[in-house]
Amino acid sequence: QHKSDNEIMKLLNESKKLQKQKELALQQELQQLKESYSQNVLDTCSRIIFEIADKYQLDISLSKSAIQKLTQYNWSTDKLEKLIENAVTIAMAGNMDQNTKIEIQDVDIITESINKKHKTTIEHSDKILRTKVFLDRYEQAALMAIRDELPLTGNNIGKYCSPPVSPAAISDSLKNHRKTIIHLLQENPNQWKTIRSKFRPVKNILASTADKKKAS
């Protein structure tokens, strides 16, 4: 009987040991799955950030807190894209120096429904971002036209844009973004020097602003 009890205890101990091993293996498997998922999320985030950075000519990175927040939940790719796009525009809104280097913080990532205030901020910052993009494009095109000894007309500016745009498209952009252009030109006096001084449509925008100030 004593021997039988010892055998039973031995079996129980082995069973407990085996159970612990199974639990440990399961925990390791779950951890590996979690790490694998986190890596997949980070890979997706990196791709999205690269595309946005390339599109707007920005240097975008994620802070540690932002990474933790993004890898915390099971986001779809579409949701991740929306979260990061919104985070970039929110971060841009707080970028008072108009710096092209942006680090997304966890507070920039709004996981709940975007309220009206945040939505307004995002829309405003997005417009600034888009305006900066085409001002940079026109400035680069103007420099290329000058290099080739061509006058700075809408046709020549459009021809040197990448991709090329029509003079009408340039006029529409300047008209639709007039207020944002004025804001950017006033806030960044050392940027877009060529088009602000030599491209007539932009010069006219600045001149009309100066006239309004004098009149008031």
Side-chain angles (χ1 to χ4, degrees):
Q1 181 68 35
H2 181 68
K3 185 177 179 181
S4 178
D5 287 344
N6 285 340
E7 288 176 351
I8 290 172
M9 287 299 296
K10 186 178 180 181
L11 287 171
L12 285 172
N13 288 334
E14 287 178 353
S15 177
K16 287 180 180 179
K17 186 178 179 181
L18 185 61
Q19 183 64 30
K20 284 185 178 180
Q21 288 175 344
K22 286 182 178 179
E23 289 176 359
L24 182 61
L26 181 60
Q27 288 175 359
Q28 289 175 340
E29 186 178 350
L30 289 172
Q31 182 62 28
Q32 287 173 353
L33 286 172
K34 185 178 179 181
E35 289 174 358
S36 176
Y37 168 73
S38 296
Q39 188 58 52
N40 287 337
V41 170
L42 286 177
D43 289 344
T44 303
C45 289
S46 296
R47 175 185 60 78
I48 295 168
I49 286 174
F50 175 81
E51 290 173 355
I52 296 173
D54 184 59
K55 181 179 179 181
Y56 294 115
Q57 297 299 297
L58 297 170
D59 181 4
I60 306 172
S61 61
L62 289 169
S63 67
K64 288 184 179 179
S65 61
I67 291 172
Q68 289 175 349
K69 191 167 187 176
L70 287 169
T71 56
Q72 190 175 2
Y73 301 102
N74 186 19
W75 309 112
S76 66
T77 300
D78 289 344
K79 180 67 174 176
L80 272 175
E81 287 180 354
K82 193 67 177 176
L83 285 172
I84 293 173
E85 285 173 0
N86 288 344
V88 169
T89 51
I90 289 171
M92 278 294 295
N95 183 21
M96 302 307 292
D97 297 330
Q98 299 295 322
N99 201 325
T100 57
K101 190 171 184 178
I102 298 170
E103 184 178 56
I104 297 173
Q105 305 296 329
D106 60 335
V107 293
D108 299 324
I109 302 168
I110 304 173
T111 56
E112 65 274 9
S113 297
I114 299 173
N115 60 32
K116 188 175 181 181
K117 181 180 178 181
H118 276 124
K119 187 175 181 181
T120 302
T121 300
I122 288 169
E123 288 173 350
H124 173 70
S125 187
D126 184 58
K127 189 163 188 176
I128 287 178
L129 208 56
R130 285 186 281 115
T131 305
K132 283 188 69 176
V133 167
F134 72 69
L135 285 177
D136 288 341
R137 190 178 298 156
Y138 296 165
E139 177 72 10
Q140 185 65 28
L143 291 172
M144 293 171 71
I146 290 173
R147 178 200 63 192
D148 292 343
E149 299 181 352
L150 293 173
L152 295 189
T153 62
N155 187 56
N156 287 333
I157 293 287
K159 183 171 67 175
Y160 281 101
C161 283
S162 180
V165 295
S166 67
I170 293 175
S171 296
D172 286 343
S173 294
L174 296 177
K175 180 181 178 181
N176 295 334
H177 294 257
R178 179 186 173 86
K179 288 184 179 179
T180 311
I181 290 169
I182 292 169
H183 167 75
L184 286 172
L185 291 175
Q186 290 176 341
E187 291 294 316
N188 303 276
N190 294 321
Q191 291 191 44
W192 310 295
K193 290 182 178 180
T194 307
I195 56 174
R196 76 163 69 221
S197 63
K198 297 181 179 180
F199 186 40
R200 186 171 297 280
V202 176
K203 286 175 64 178
N204 288 343
I205 290 175
L206 288 172
S208 64
T209 305
D211 290 341
K212 284 182 180 179
K213 283 185 177 180
K214 288 179 182 178
S216 61

